[in-house]
C-alpha cells in the first residue's frame, strides 16, 4: 500500500486506483477478443499459424 504524504494523497489514491482499473479493463477486453478468435485444433502446434513446409520449400536451410 502506498504511503500517503500530505496534499499529494489524493493524487496517489487516484494513481493506485488507475493502476488497478486499467489492467483489469484491458485484460477483460483482450479476453473478449481471444474468445472471438478460432480455437486451434491441435494444442501447442504452430503449424496452423506458421506453415513450415511452405517456408522450407522457398527458403532452404
Amino acid at each position: 500500500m502506498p504511503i500517503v504524504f500530505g496534499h499529494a494523497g489524493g493524487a496517489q489514491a487516484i494513481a493506485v486506483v488507475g493502476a488497478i482499473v486499467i489492467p483489469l479493463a484491458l485484460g477483460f477486453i483482450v479476453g473478449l477478443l481471444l474468445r472471438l478468435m478460432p480455437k486451434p485444433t491441435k494444442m501447442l502446434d504452430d503449424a496452423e499459424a506458421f506453415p513450415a513446409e511452405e517456408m522450407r520449400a522457398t527458403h532452404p536451410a
Side-chain angles (χ1 to χ4, degrees), residues 11 34 58-59:
L34 287 175
T58 58
H59 296 93

Side-chain angles (χ1 to χ4, degrees), residues 28-39:
F28 180 75
I29 291 169
V30 170
L32 290 176
L33 290 174
L34 287 175
R35 284 188 178 188
L36 296 175
M37 296 177 66
K39 294 186 190 292

Side-chain angles (χ1 to χ4, degrees), residues 4-31:
V4 178
F5 292 109
H7 298 291
Q12 284 182 342
I14 291 171
V16 169
V17 170
I20 294 170
V21 171
I22 291 171
L24 285 175
L26 291 176
F28 180 75
I29 291 169
V30 170

